[in-house]
Amino acid sequence: MKITVQKFGGSSLQTEERRDRCAEHVITALRDGYKVVVVVSAIGRNGDPYATDTLLNLVGGSLPNISKKEQDLLMSCGETISSVVFSSLLQSKGISSYAMTGAEAGFRISESYGDARILNIKTENIETVLQTYDVIVVTGFQGETPKGTVATLGRGGSDTSATALGAALKASYVDIFTDVSGIMTADPRIVKSAKSMETATYGEVSNMAYQGAKVIHPRAVEIAMQADVPIRIRSSQEEGFGTLIASSTSAIRGRDLDEKPVSAITQVKDISQLKISHPESQGDIFKIMTEAELSVDFISIHPDFLTFTIPAARREEACKSLQAAGYEVTWTDRCAKVAVVGAGMSGVPGVAAKIVSALNEKNIPIMQSADSHTTIWVLVAESDMLEAVNVLHEAFLAE
Ligand code: ADP
Ligand code: MG
């Protein structure tokens, strides 16, 4: 049995006309001899009647007055509605389609409401149903905890549902259908000249996703990488195969890495930089941060001071904990992290130098920097972020 997984995001399912285009992709795969496992997000965006944010607005919006468990119970409804609506559309086109919840599809997930992890997927039910039906439409984003309750996988979690199913079912492809033509060299809302990439490695895309490119959830990429299932990020509304994401050897074949060491620029804002002067014990600082479950970044240790960054939303709490322990803390709010990502930059000299001179030329101060073998990050003021991303895109990725 040849299986392919197709995930459709909220905006792709927003209107009847768009759902029709999505159905066309299912029909094409059926014609090519596949059984199709569809994974759907909730229909539409905030404001649309069955979108996840709209449902949350029924109980107070972003700060609801109910438990996390109850939030998950509510938030999982959008996908449930979506799966039945899309399955009914397929049935109306004469396709044998069956809708199922995450629990029915075998998603066993942890009990961390709002950010659950997939423990395992029991595929027996899907396999049995596929003996009779050609298409199964599975609700993304949700699963069943060991207690039998419903939990969700966090924002962007349907991507993870899709690649995890692809891995468990040994699918030929996981197609992530969305509202852009593929993974782009920068966020198209920020860089007008951003272009769609033909191929990318799992490593590049997971770096991009962790560094703020919201086009796919980073965990989704990692699961596909472990199972070596190719992902394609594609437009649901336009023709084309989009970006193929695969292991380095298959994905970068034909790409001239020396000529293009950099693949993409990404950005994350809402970051605060903390500076602690004359710390008595450097280790204790990180112990305090770990106890508060604060993930720190951009750690830079000097003999008489130490800096790192944290999400702005947690700055106040972090400073309070550190001050309570006797540390002298100062901070800078409204920072942004801009990353230059590329599988080809490893060992290529001059990438960092080019970043620095491009930013210097525009008088954009670099507050801090860090690097790995495939990514170089700079911390800049949030007010410089847009320009920094565009300047770096121009320096590395202009044709
Ligand atoms: P879906 O509802 O299909 O899951 P998302 O909104 O989660 O769609 O992801 C698609 C969006 O990701 C695009 O509309 C685009 O604005 C954004 N995005 C950010 N960075 C990138 C990038 N480098 N390449 C492509 N899209 C990006
Ligand atoms: Mg998404």
Side-chain angles (χ1 to χ4, degrees), residues 2 4 6 8 20-36 90 95 135 175 177 232 234 239 241:
K2 272 202 318 179
T4 191
Q6 299 191 334
F8 298 102
D20 253 337
R21 307 288 308 216
C22 295
E24 286 301 316
H25 292 292
V26 176
I27 291 166
T28 305
L30 289 173
R31 231 179 257 140
D32 290 343
Y34 290 99
K35 294 269 184 176
V36 187
L90 295 176
I95 296 165
V135 180
D175 281 338
F177 286 100
R232 292 182 300 199
R234 315 169 54 179
E239 300 296 315
F241 287 110

Side-chain angles (χ1 to χ4, degrees), residues 7 156 159 214-215:
K7 181 252 170 180
D159 296 336
K214 292 210 176 86
V215 59

Side-chain angles (χ1 to χ4, degrees), residues 7 9-10 45 178-180 182 184 186-189 208 214-215:
K7 181 252 170 180
R45 293 271 187 256
T178 182
D179 59 359
V180 279
M184 312 197 68
D187 186 338
R189 287 167 299 189
M208 288 174 68
K214 292 210 176 86
V215 59

Side-chain angles (χ1 to χ4, degrees), residues 3-9 13 26 36-42 76-88 90 97-108 118 121-123 125-127 129-130 135-144 153 157-166 169:
I3 297 177
T4 191
V5 173
Q6 299 191 334
K7 181 252 170 180
F8 298 102
L13 296 168
V26 176
V36 187
V37 176
V38 172
V39 174
V40 288
S41 297
S76 67
C77 295
E79 275 70 15
T80 306
I81 294 168
S82 186
S83 68
V84 177
V85 170
F86 194 64
S87 187
S88 125
L90 295 176
S97 165
Y98 185 101
M100 56 168 79
T101 63
E104 283 175 81
F107 278 86
R108 303 289 171 263
I118 297 172
I121 303 179
K122 298 198 184 308
T123 53
N125 194 28
I126 290 191
E127 279 154 11
V129 173
L130 281 182
V135 180
I136 297 180
V137 185
V138 180
T139 56
F141 185 55
Q142 54 163 266
E144 183 180 29
L153 302 173
S158 293
D159 296 336
T160 311
S161 305
T163 60
L165 267 181
L169 295 167

